[in-house]
Structure formats: structure tokens, C-alpha cells
Amino acid sequence: MRMGAATALGVAALLLVGGCDDMTKQKKQNPYASRATAPGEVPAGTVQYGETATPVPPVTMALLARGQSEYHVFCAPCHAETGDGHGMIVQRGFPAPPPLAAARPQFVYDVVTDGRGVMYGFAQRIAPEDRWAVVAYVHALQRSQRMALADLTAEQRAVP
Ligand code: HEC
């Protein structure tokens, strides 16, 4: 009896495999056979997915202040307030990021948006304009660490 059941199962399996083979030969629509639109062209009546490029906002004190508060919330836990990469999460065992070195603004923006290695992206958490604010703040943070007080004008030194 048990052998009989096994044989029946085997036959059923063979029939199923045979059935799969037939499916590869059946008539079907090939989505790549012909294109109604040129590559990269959006078909009429559809909405493009994803965000459109946000213009880079001019650097103002208000933008830097916004960037500082976003950096404090989202980046300092790993990169530390100074950007040296020894934030609290790293002290608790998360892989240490390299010190935030001078980098092109677009590179920093893309890393914040998409993440890099073990660092997750912030596209869902930080709005595009605020990401540019973080980029401007990171740049200011780096410059502040290479700047001698003598390089500042009296007016710049007076800014709180
Ligand atoms: C959970 C920890 C964590 C958080 C939060 C985090 N990062 Fe990172 N970040 C990393 C790690 C780790 C790397 C190194 C990734 C790699 O190269 O594998 C990294 C890499 C980077 C790099 C590239 C550095 C280089 O020279 O390759 C930049 C720029 C950066 N982070 C900026 C930010 C900014 C700005 C924020 C806040 C919006 C942020 N990160 C939040 C962990 C973090």
C-alpha cells in the first residue's frame, strides 16, 4: 500500500514537471517584443515614480541651523557631534564610520539619501531640502576644524 502511494506521487510529480514544460511553449505576451515608447520615455497617462531633483538651496544661517539640528538627531549617534565617527551607537558596537572628510556635496547628499555599506539611507526620514541642510552643516563642520581663528574676520568672530 505504501509503495503504491509513493508510485502514485511519483507519477503525479512527473505529470506536474511535464505540465511545466508545456507552459514554456504556450502563447504569451513578450513585454520586450515591441515598445510603444522609446527607452526612457514615460508612456502617456502614467506617473513617474521617485523624487525629482531638489534644487540646492542657498547656504544661509537658517539653513545651517536646520542642518545642525538634523545632524544632531540623525547623524551624531554614529558620526559623533564632531564627525570623528565615535558616536554612541559605535561605542555600543556598531561598525565605526570613517571620519567625515571633505567630500563633494553631491556625494554626501547621495550617501544620506541611499545609505552606504552598513549605513542605511535617510530618504524616508529626512526631506530633500533638509538633506541639503545636513550637507551644508557637514561642510561647515569640516571647515570649522581646519580653520584658524586668525582666518576669520572680526564680523565672523562676532556671530554667536
Ligand atoms: C547607524 C549609524 C550611522 C548613522 C545614523 C549615519 N551614518 Fe553615515 N556612515 C555610517 C557608516 C558605518 C559608514 C561607513 C559605510 C561604509 O563605507 O561601509 C558611513 C558613511 C558615511 C559617509 C561616507 C564617508 C566616506 O568618506 O566614505 C557619509 C558622508 C556619511 N556617512 C554621512 C552621514 C550623515 C550626514 C548622516 C546623517 C543624516 C549619517 N551618515 C548617519 C554610519 C552611520
Side-chain angles (χ1 to χ4, degrees):
M1 278 303 272
R2 295 188 74 190
M3 280 300 282
T7 311
L9 264 179
V11 170
L14 274 176
L15 284 174
L16 278 173
V17 171
C20 287
D21 198 40
D22 277 352
M23 284 176 77
T24 62
K25 293 185 194 128
Q26 71 188 348
K27 277 186 138 196
K28 58 182 173 285
Q29 181 73 37
N30 178 356
Y32 297 107
S34 69
R35 295 185 64 102
T37 53
E41 201 178 297
V42 182
T46 58
V47 179
Q48 212 162 0
Y49 176 77
E51 54 186 46
T52 49
T54 308
V56 184
V59 177
T60 58
M61 280 310 281
L63 189 85
L64 286 175
R66 178 75 186 146
Q68 183 179 36
S69 80
E70 295 287 274
Y71 180 91
H72 174 72
V73 171
F74 292 109
C75 318
C78 290
H79 287 276
E81 297 292 351
T82 57
D84 69 2
H86 298 298
M88 189 51 75
I89 297 181
V90 173
Q91 291 172 41
R92 295 285 184 271
F94 196 82
L100 288 174
R104 280 184 311 113
Q106 187 67 54
F107 170 77
V108 180
Y109 183 87
D110 290 344
V111 171
V112 173
T113 304
D114 302 325
R116 186 175 171 82
V118 289
M119 174 185 151
Y120 42 82
F122 288 85
Q124 307 301 320
R125 279 167 272 214
I126 307 179
E129 170 128 5
D130 286 344
R131 272 177 249 157
W132 281 118
V134 170
V135 170
Y137 178 71
V138 165
H139 187 66
L141 191 62
Q142 291 157 345
R143 285 194 66 186
S144 72
Q145 291 166 2
R146 295 195 308 262
M147 191 72 66
L149 190 59
D151 295 338
L152 300 177
T153 63
E155 193 184 273
Q156 286 168 329
R157 283 186 223 179
V159 173

